[in-house]
Amino acid sequence: MSLTASELEILKANSLSVANAQSMATQIESDLTVGGIFPNGASGDFTDQNVEKFKAKWCSWWSVAKILLTIAKVFTGPKGDDVIDALLKMGNNLCG
């Protein structure tokens, strides 16, 4: 996944992006269910999704969240990467 020019501009404008992405990575790795969005996320199963919970937490700021999640993959291991991939797929489908 590559970032668009406008997404890169958002990153440049926010000097805390890397720190925010690292914080997100830490939170995701400590809770692979992402607050219950993926109830079976700890076992690597992302088929059961709480769509309403996702929309409430992520869609209002999806344009920035997807950038931070992409950066967060630098700080996560394979399980965290899988969670982030599932979040990105879900967000792109639900939030646009």
Side-chain angles (χ1 to χ4, degrees):
M1 178 177 166
S2 61
L3 301 175
T4 66
S6 63
E7 290 169 334
L8 286 172
E9 287 303 314
I10 291 170
L11 283 176
K12 290 176 189 174
N14 184 355
S15 63
L16 299 176
S17 292
V18 173
N20 289 335
Q22 187 173 19
S23 176
M24 288 176 78
T26 300
Q27 290 175 345
I28 287 169
E29 291 223 311
S30 69
D31 177 13
L32 298 175
T33 72
V34 193
I37 291 172
F38 302 117
N40 302 317
S43 65
D45 178 8
F46 305 104
T47 56
D48 185 14
Q49 303 172 345
N50 187 323
V51 172
E52 293 309 312
K53 192 174 277 193
F54 179 90
K55 286 181 179 179
K57 288 185 177 184
W58 293 87
C59 281
S60 65
W61 63 293
W62 184 245
S63 63
V64 174
K66 67 182 175 180
I67 296 169
L68 294 175
L69 287 167
T70 301
I71 296 169
K73 287 182 75 171
V74 171
F75 304 104
T76 55
K79 287 184 178 184
D81 289 352
D82 290 345
V83 173
I84 290 172
D85 288 341
L87 285 169
L88 288 168
K89 182 177 179 181
M90 193 172 182
N92 289 333
N93 288 334
L94 296 174
C95 308

